[in-house]
Amino acid sequence: MKMEHGLWLVTLAATAMSIAAFAVEAQAGDGPPAPAPAPIPVEIATADRRDVPIFLTDLGTVEPYNQVTIRSRVDGALQQVLFKEGNDVRQGDLLAEIDPRTFQASLDQARARLDQDTASLANARLILNRDAQLVARDFVSVETADTQRSTVAQLEAQVEQDKALIVTAETELSYTRILAPIDGRAGLRLVDVGNIVHASDPGGLVVINQVNPIAVISTLPERDVPAIRAALAAGPVEVEALSREDGTVLDIGTVQLMDNAIDPKSGTLKLKSVFPNAGDQLWPGQFIDAKVHVTTLKGVVTVPAGAIQRGPDGTFVYQVAPDQTVSPAAVRTGPISEGVAVIKSGLAEGARVVSAGQYRLSAGARVADVPSSQAQ
């Protein structure tokens, strides 16, 4: 009897525990559902239609528009230097003067020789006129008149030679006054007053650089040659000179020409652009970024460049549905310029896309539009 009574107590205890467990499960089942996951913070943009300028940007080197090394064209002592280093000079300004005395003497000698030969020619012509009259009266032979006529011709040639020698002497004398051939800026003086200069000297007196306007030589890869040619054929092509330090626009000019050959070693093409450089923002030898405007795409669908994602199947964007859930949409993109991507197909105007914060997204995820600083 005691054993049966104990077994009954064990069974009763187990039943009570089962009832208690069932009650706990019932209470748990009747509680509130688990909260839904919070929306993922992202930045949302709308695909819109706009005109998109297309630029090609590459490294450029600033060069003088014209550069002239001023050299003496005659030998002599340098008497005066009349320019100031680093100052602007105008075309025709007197830069330096070489001792002119030897060249002045040569000019005076050539003029004296001309006067002498001119007088001899005049006398020979008088004799020829007399001989012509005497030949008509048979007082002088025809041979004598012919000889005198030859003398006149020789003296006429001598006079012409004297005139040419005078021009040469005047030219040599003019070379003693060295004039600026272009507008520009003088560099460092290379020869001091008192030195003997020669026409064969390699260094010259000074180098003048024309910096207003100024040129930029830039290089573009050969794949961009068709775009550059098409742009130049359509009219003037604008180019911006950008600072390599902070990207600020230093000056705006135009592309003057493209080189006539692609460099086979680098596969690049040289462009020469011209800038007004009114404020001397550009300086010879400076490195800049040359940003060439080749065309403008009219009325194309665009999204921020940050919206474009790349996957194993190509490019796509996360498109946002009205219920704030996202789904990947495959797109075909065009050029990306100034932070804007052109959409060729796969997305309609007005569609909403995620432009920042995509790294946590997957298909069906719910998102919330937040400022860009929070969509990271």
Side-chain angles (χ1 to χ4, degrees):
M1 288 296 291
K2 289 183 178 180
M3 181 177 292
E4 291 178 358
H5 180 72
L7 182 61
W8 181 82
L9 291 176
V10 171
T11 302
L12 182 61
T15 302
M17 292 177 64
S18 297
I19 294 172
F22 177 78
V24 171
E25 290 179 1
Q27 290 178 358
D30 293 340
I40 300 173
V42 297
E43 185 177 1
I44 298 176
T46 302
D48 58 358
R49 195 175 294 275
R50 67 172 74 179
D51 296 343
V52 179
I54 303 301
F55 298 95
L56 300 175
T57 304
D58 264 291
L59 178 65
T61 305
V62 181
E63 296 185 355
Y65 188 73
N66 286 304
Q67 184 180 76
V68 179
T69 299
I70 305 300
R71 295 184 173 91
S72 173
R73 301 178 69 174
V74 293
D75 299 346
L78 184 61
Q79 283 190 332
Q80 294 187 79
V81 173
L82 302 171
F83 66 89
K84 291 185 178 180
E85 296 171 296
N87 281 13
D88 289 336
V89 296
R90 306 292 295 178
Q91 183 177 7
D93 286 352
L94 181 62
L95 302 178
E97 211 166 9
I98 296 170
D99 187 356
R101 290 174 294 179
T102 301
F103 304 98
Q104 184 64 56
S106 297
L107 176 59
D108 294 342
Q109 185 178 6
R111 287 172 175 169
R113 175 59 68 88
L114 175 62
D115 292 341
Q116 179 183 351
D117 290 340
T118 300
S120 297
L121 176 60
N123 183 57
R125 284 172 174 168
L126 289 175
I127 295 174
L128 179 60
N129 288 337
R130 282 199 305 267
D131 287 349
Q133 294 175 6
L134 294 175
V135 166
R137 299 177 184 178
D138 293 330
F139 291 145
V140 173
S141 66
V142 174
E143 290 82 4
T144 301
D146 289 342
T147 300
Q148 187 61 31
R149 187 173 292 108
S150 176
T151 300
V152 169
Q154 291 177 16
L155 288 171
E156 288 176 341
Q158 185 62 49
V159 167
E160 293 302 317
Q161 182 180 2
D162 293 340
K163 291 179 179 179
L165 290 174
I166 288 175
V167 172
T168 299
E170 288 176 340
T171 302
E172 293 287 317
L173 179 61
S174 70
Y175 289 160
T176 63
R177 292 170 53 84
I178 301 176
L179 307 179
I182 60 171
D183 294 345
R185 187 157 296 158
L188 298 176
R189 185 176 66 250
L190 304 177
V191 179
D192 294 329
V193 172
N195 283 280
I196 303 298
V197 294
H198 304 275
S200 59
D201 290 342
L205 305 178
V206 67
V207 176
I208 296 178
N209 288 336
Q210 186 174 6
V211 295
N212 309 106
I214 203 166
V216 168
I217 304 298
S218 58
T219 56
L220 290 172
E222 60 181 315
R223 68 174 180 269
D224 294 329
V225 171
I228 290 293
R229 292 186 62 188
L232 289 172
V237 177
E238 184 179 272
V239 56
E240 297 178 352
L242 306 180
S243 168
R244 291 184 61 81
E245 300 295 330
D246 55 13
T248 58
V249 178
L250 301 175
D251 204 358
I252 299 176
T254 56
V255 176
Q256 188 177 58
L257 60 93
M258 58 187 293
D259 201 1
N260 58 2
I262 296 172
D263 185 348
K265 295 181 180 179
S266 62
T268 57
L269 176 75
K270 289 183 178 180
L271 293 182
K272 182 177 181 180
S273 304
V274 180
F275 296 83
N277 199 32
D280 290 342
Q281 302 95 333
L282 303 176
W283 205 252
Q286 178 182 2
F287 291 104
I288 56 98
D289 285 327
K291 182 179 176 183
V292 182
H293 179 206
V294 291
T295 190
T296 298
L297 302 179
K298 301 290 186 179
V300 292
V301 176
T302 64
V303 296
I308 305 299
Q309 303 294 297
R310 288 168 176 80
D313 298 326
T315 55
F316 68 95
V317 297
Y318 280 108
Q319 188 168 352
V320 182
D323 62 355
Q324 292 297 98
T325 59
V326 298
S327 58
V331 294
R332 191 162 65 94
T333 60
I336 296 177
S337 177
E338 303 290 293
V340 174
V342 175
I343 302 298
K344 290 185 175 180
S345 63
L347 198 66
E349 179 183 3
R352 296 193 305 155
V353 297
V354 177
S355 58
Q358 297 97 326
Y359 72 98
R360 296 170 55 189
L361 297 183
S362 59
R366 188 176 301 276
V367 296
D369 189 12
V370 298
S372 57
S373 60
Q374 302 178 28
Q376 303 296 332

